[in-house]
């Protein structure tokens, strides 16, 4: 069975979608920053989404497709709970991530920018969860 990182990397390559894979050290540093910014914990929990501060969530099995509507000019960091995969990927467009996800089996994932101004998660319970500036975006989308 392929690791999640291999699935994402292989799928992006097959689709000719450019991405960058962060080193293990970079990835671990980013995971720590995300935990510090979006939780009150001192270490990364097993399920990060269970410990997010100040988040909005909606249950919708197709909610992962909505991420393409979140506008950002910065590169997007694409990652998983670290117990599933530690390596972080970087994409230039949300639409590229949706295209990759369309070609893979569903799995839990997170998205943020390098400055950690937002965090988006789609979990294994079909919840799209938004924190940081993405919270306002998802809240407005839900009306």
């Amino acid at each position: 069975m392929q690791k999640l990182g291999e699935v994402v990397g292989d799928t992006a390559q097959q689709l000719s979608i450019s991405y960058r894979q962060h080193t293990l050290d970079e990835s671990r540093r980013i995971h720590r920053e995300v935990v510090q910014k979006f939780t009150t914990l001192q270490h990364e929990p097993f399920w990060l989404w269970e410990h997010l501060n100040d988040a909005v969530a909606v249950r919708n099995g197709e909610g992962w497709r909505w991420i393409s509507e979140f506008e950002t000019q910065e590169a997007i960091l694409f990652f998983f709970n670290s117990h599933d995969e530690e390596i972080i990927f970087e994409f230039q467009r949300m639409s590229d991530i949706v295209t990759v996800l369309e070609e893979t089996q569903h799995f839990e994932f997170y998205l943020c920018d390098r400055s950690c101004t937002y965090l988006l998660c789609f979990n294994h319970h079909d919840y799209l969860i938004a924190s940081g500036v993405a919270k306002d975006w998802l809240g407005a989308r839900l009306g």
Side-chain angles (χ1 to χ4, degrees), residues 11-66:
T11 303
Q13 286 179 348
Q14 289 169 4
L15 297 169
S16 300
I17 293 174
S18 65
Y19 70 93
R20 181 169 90 84
Q21 186 172 319
H22 286 256
T23 66
L24 185 57
D25 285 342
E26 288 174 319
S27 297
R28 287 177 176 163
R29 180 187 55 74
I30 293 165
H31 278 275
R32 284 191 302 272
E33 286 180 27
V34 167
V35 169
Q36 290 173 353
K37 174 80 178 200
F38 296 104
T39 78
T40 58
L41 303 174
Q42 299 301 312
H43 57 83
E44 188 167 356
F46 197 75
W47 302 112
L48 178 60
W49 58 268
E50 286 185 332
H51 301 278
L52 296 179
N53 294 331
D54 199 27
V56 170
V58 60
R59 187 171 194 193
N60 183 312
E62 296 291 309
W64 58 273
R65 293 181 181 278
W66 299 357

Side-chain angles (χ1 to χ4, degrees), residues 26-134:
E26 288 174 319
S27 297
R28 287 177 176 163
R29 180 187 55 74
I30 293 165
H31 278 275
R32 284 191 302 272
E33 286 180 27
V34 167
V35 169
Q36 290 173 353
K37 174 80 178 200
F38 296 104
T39 78
T40 58
L41 303 174
Q42 299 301 312
H43 57 83
E44 188 167 356
F46 197 75
W47 302 112
L48 178 60
W49 58 268
E50 286 185 332
H51 301 278
L52 296 179
N53 294 331
D54 199 27
V56 170
V58 60
R59 187 171 194 193
N60 183 312
E62 296 291 309
W64 58 273
R65 293 181 181 278
W66 299 357
I67 65 171
S68 63
E69 299 170 15
F70 182 74
E71 294 183 20
T72 180
Q73 299 304 314
E74 293 188 47
I76 303 112
L77 302 179
F78 178 93
F79 59 101
F80 312 93
N81 289 299
S82 59
H83 66 269
D84 290 325
E85 173 67 69
E86 287 187 280
I87 296 299
I88 291 178
F89 295 83
E90 185 173 307
F91 290 86
Q92 294 304 309
R93 292 182 299 278
M94 288 286 190
S95 60
D96 287 343
I97 295 170
V98 171
T99 300
V100 169
L101 292 170
E102 287 173 337
E103 299 299 321
T104 60
Q105 293 195 1
H106 295 279
F107 42 74
E108 195 160 281
F109 66 88
Y110 298 86
L111 306 167
C112 73
D113 58 353
R114 289 184 192 146
S115 302
C116 293
T117 62
Y118 69 87
L119 183 68
L120 289 166
C121 169
F122 189 77
N123 73 13
H124 63 277
H125 297 290
D126 290 338
Y127 278 91
L128 178 62
I129 305 166
S131 191
V133 297

